[in-house]
């Protein structure tokens, strides 16, 4: 299993440009999460999906941020337009579906380091 | 709404046991204690979790006090590669699709 795959690993873009981050969860995992990490705020949960449906997007900072999960094997996080304060490392994570008495760990990807200049 | 309290940093000599404490005095009966770590420039990695009994796996041991208000993660023979930020997280068990809430964690530095 290749784990959670994120692309690109690094992205440098100019302010005002659209940025799209991609994530492929582990096959068979029903839940997918997007996190953002900065020195000031640490790891923040942005949005999560269950069975491809967005469950809670209360962590999305602004309307400039949007996320989609068109199928079980792919998700995107889009920022349009991007701003310098969006510079951060963005992580995607997935976990298996729930079951009675189950407690599954989350598997994180390696992250995308976004720099907006 | 921090549910856990951890020291910001700790040092440990290579080859010795690293004992990382976590206080969770407001833990509820159905909440588990989870530990994750984040090595520099990588995503967080699951280590171990438990409800009330002590747990051990190939990475670490988790000791939870009888009143469940605190716990200790033990890395039995720390190596330089164990240098990382360690997060103690309390959450409801039984599966569920909600995300993890990370605090500031403990920055563990293994000294050669």
């Amino acid at each position: 299993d290749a784990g959670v795959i994120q692309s690109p690993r690094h992205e440098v873009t100019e302010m005002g440009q659209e940025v799209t981050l991609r994530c492929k969860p582990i096959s068979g995992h029903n839940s997918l999460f997007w996190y953002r990490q900065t020195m000031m705020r640490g790891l923040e949960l942005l949005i999560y999906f269950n069975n491809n449906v967005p469950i809670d997007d209360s962590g999305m900072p602004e309307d400039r941020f949007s996320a989609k999960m068109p199928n079980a094997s792919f998700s995107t996080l889009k920022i349009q337009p991007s701003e310098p304060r969006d510079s951060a490392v963005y992580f995607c994570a997935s976990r298996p579906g729930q079951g009675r008495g189950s407690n599954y760990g989350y598997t994180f990807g390696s992250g995308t380091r976004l720099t907006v200049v | 709404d921090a549910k856990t309290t951890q020291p910001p940093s700790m040092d440990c000599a290579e080859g010795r046991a690293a004992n990382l404490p976590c206080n969770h005095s407001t833990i509820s009966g159905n909440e588990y204690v989870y530990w994750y770590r984040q090595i520099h420039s990588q995503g967080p990695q699951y280590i171990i979790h438990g409800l009330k009994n002590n747990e051990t796996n190939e990475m670490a041991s988790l000791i939870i006090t009888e009143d469940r208000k605190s716990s200790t993660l033990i890395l039995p023979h720390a190596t330089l590669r164990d240098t990382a930020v360690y997060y103690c997280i309390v959450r409801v068990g039984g599966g569920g699709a909600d995300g993890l809430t990370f605090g500031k964690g403990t920055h563990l530095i293994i000294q050669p």
Side-chain angles (χ1 to χ4, degrees), chain A residues 35 37 48 95 98 102-103 106, chain B residues 34 36 38 95-98 100:
Chain A
Y35 283 85
Q37 186 171 34
Y48 63 90
R95 72 190 292 263
Q98 60 187 11
S102 66
N103 281 289
Y106 296 64
Chain B
Y34 284 77
Y36 283 75
Q38 186 174 23
D98 54 321
L100 297 169

Side-chain angles (χ1 to χ4, degrees), chain A residues 18-112:
Chain A
E18 177 180 295
V19 175
T20 300
L21 311 181
R22 298 172 175 80
C23 176
K24 176 179 169 55
I26 292 175
S27 178
H29 281 194
N30 297 80
S31 300
L32 182 140
F33 308 82
W34 282 100
Y35 283 85
R36 176 174 69 174
Q37 186 171 34
T38 61
M39 288 291 292
M40 291 295 294
R41 301 175 69 90
L43 274 161
E44 301 174 279
L45 176 64
L46 300 178
I47 185 172
Y48 63 90
F49 296 81
N50 191 38
N51 293 322
N52 312 337
V53 176
I55 302 300
D56 186 350
D57 64 354
S58 61
M60 298 285 261
E62 299 172 36
D63 292 343
R64 299 184 294 107
F65 286 71
S66 62
K68 294 182 179 180
M69 192 164 185
N71 57 62
S73 59
F74 183 65
S75 177
T76 59
L77 178 67
K78 184 178 293 186
I79 308 173
Q80 166 64 20
S82 58
E83 296 183 3
R85 59 195 169 115
D86 301 331
S87 297
V89 181
Y90 291 81
F91 289 103
C92 176
S94 71
R95 72 190 292 263
Q98 60 187 11
R100 183 178 295 276
S102 66
N103 281 289
Y104 298 108
Y106 296 64
T107 302
F108 284 77
S110 299
T112 294

